Amino acid sequence: YISMNPATRESVLSRKRKEYTSSITQLFQQDKNQAVWHQIIIDIPRTNPTIKLYSYEATQRSLERILYLWAVRHPASGYVQGINDLVTPIFQVFLQNYLNPEIDVENFDPNLLPKELMNCIESDTFWCLTKILDTIQDNYIHEQPGILRQIKELSDLVKRDEPKLSDHFEKQGIEFIQFAFRWMNCMLMRELTVKLIIRMWDTYISNYPTGFKQFHVYVCCAFLRRFSDELLNMDFQDIIIFLQDSTKTKYWDENDVEMMLSEAFIWQSLYENASAHLK
């Protein structure tokens, strides 16, 4: 988002922040697209409900503005449920950047910050969210073909690398779309804490522009493999309940995420090398 040239960073940031503020001012002087706006204001109060930061009015108004501007600028997809989750790790990182490290950002009320500072946080969040969503745009257009492709790739990976689990799912009538749609739509945000998501997305961003589109599928495979022994002993109903229950990662820390990322990287390297060799 910022310029690669250190000499122009401040001017580029200033220009982009002014562009964001100007766009918001103009947009909210016009009649709203009621269908889009209605869905956003319904979803915002449901976003990260266990974290106090997201219950504050200042946070919710910021997220509404960011999401509405993005939706208006991307009419091919518009706002889709799930994008409200994706904005929060970015917002949290930028907010934390302006706080004393000893302050717990997840309990902080952004209303305590000067408006000019909040405008910077909002702007930077908007532009970085846009950069990320640009790489997975087909996840949010009509019929969400990007997500369906990722689910198919995950199914193929599990069939290849965990044949016992794949066979067990087939015998139990489990279809990957029944649990993995949420994993792709929300980038595992419903499965892990925001702090762990930030660590995970750090790796995704370092693999820009393919991190969220391709590497994420391998991470989902590693995530599923973590529970394969338990899943092999469950029937249809227990499997679905278990995979939709976020408490299974309640005691995870960064070491768990880094182990999962390492495993995903190994599988991606092996898979891509094998594909290159076949060509």
Side-chain angles (χ1 to χ4, degrees):
Y1 160 46
I2 62 171
S3 171
M4 294 292 286
N5 181 354
T8 62
R9 280 180 187 170
E10 285 304 315
S11 61
V12 169
L13 271 178
S14 177
R15 178 172 55 80
K16 297 296 273 187
R17 287 167 176 171
K18 284 177 183 173
E19 181 185 339
Y20 172 80
T21 304
S22 172
S23 297
I24 288 293
T25 301
Q26 290 176 26
L27 186 61
F28 281 83
Q29 287 173 347
Q30 304 166 9
D31 291 337
K32 294 187 183 75
N33 180 321
Q34 288 302 322
V36 173
W37 180 248
H38 180 68
Q39 190 60 61
I40 289 172
I41 62 173
I42 286 176
D43 287 349
I44 290 298
R46 302 171 180 165
T47 305
N48 294 339
T50 61
I51 301 176
K52 195 169 183 182
L53 167 65
Y54 298 98
S55 69
Y56 289 118
E57 185 179 354
T59 305
Q60 295 188 0
R61 298 298 83 79
S62 286
L63 299 189
E64 286 170 2
R65 288 188 287 268
I66 291 165
L67 293 173
Y68 186 62
L69 179 60
W70 187 88
V72 169
R73 287 194 167 196
H74 296 80
S77 60
Y79 172 75
V80 176
Q81 283 181 291
I83 298 177
N84 58 305
D85 290 303
L86 303 187
V87 72
T88 59
I90 311 166
F91 179 81
Q92 201 161 305
V93 165
F94 282 123
L95 177 60
Q96 179 74 76
N97 187 53
Y98 292 102
L99 301 180
N100 185 311
E102 295 177 4
I103 294 176
D104 179 8
V105 66
E106 294 192 348
N107 287 298
F108 182 78
D109 182 356
N111 195 46
L112 299 172
L113 293 178
K115 190 175 188 307
E116 296 75 19
L117 196 52
M118 280 306 297
N119 286 343
C120 292
I121 292 167
E122 256 187 60
S123 169
D124 295 346
T125 300
F126 170 80
W127 292 115
C128 289
L129 175 71
T130 299
K131 294 286 281 186
I132 288 172
L133 292 182
D134 281 351
T135 70
I136 49 174
Q137 183 76 29
D138 58 352
N139 282 19
Y140 303 106
I141 60 176
H142 181 60
E143 295 186 347
Q144 300 182 269
I147 289 178
L148 298 180
R149 174 189 52 77
Q150 287 182 311
I151 293 170
K152 173 68 166 59
E153 288 174 359
L154 175 62
S155 174
D156 291 345
L157 276 174
V158 174
K159 189 176 290 186
R160 171 181 166 152
D161 301 325
E162 284 282 348
K164 283 185 182 178
L165 186 60
S166 179
D167 290 345
H168 182 61
F169 276 6
E170 200 168 322
K171 286 173 186 172
Q172 293 299 322
I174 297 284
E175 295 183 14
F176 277 73
I177 198 167
Q178 291 169 308
F179 61 87
F181 186 90
R182 186 172 82 176
W183 294 4
M184 307 308 176
N185 194 51
C186 302
M187 292 289 152
L188 289 177
M189 277 219 56
R190 306 279 177 90
E191 324 310 318
L192 300 168
T193 65
V194 176
K195 288 176 181 175
L196 295 184
I197 287 291
I198 288 168
R199 169 62 192 91
M200 190 172 81
W201 284 16
D202 189 56
T203 297
Y204 286 17
I205 291 167
S206 74
N207 283 283
Y208 189 86
T210 60
F212 290 85
K213 190 169 190 171
Q214 295 172 3
F215 186 63
H216 178 67
V217 177
Y218 291 92
V219 171
C220 288
C221 185
F223 183 68
L224 188 61
R225 284 165 58 90
R226 178 67 69 94
F227 307 106
S228 60
D229 289 344
E230 294 154 271
L231 291 166
L232 286 169
N233 294 311
M234 295 181 186
D235 60 15
F236 175 91
Q237 188 174 355
D238 289 341
I239 291 170
I240 294 296
I241 291 171
F242 180 80
L243 289 176
Q244 291 181 343
D245 181 7
S246 60
T247 61
K248 61 182 173 292
T249 60
K250 186 177 180 180
Y251 298 107
W252 278 32
D253 58 21
E254 283 199 7
N255 291 329
D256 292 288
V257 169
E258 286 169 5
M259 185 71 71
M260 190 169 68
L261 291 168
S262 298
E263 188 177 324
F265 181 76
I266 291 167
W267 282 110
Q268 184 184 41
S269 300
L270 290 171
Y271 189 83
E272 290 182 352
N273 286 341
S275 299
H277 179 70
L278 288 171
K279 288 175 185 174

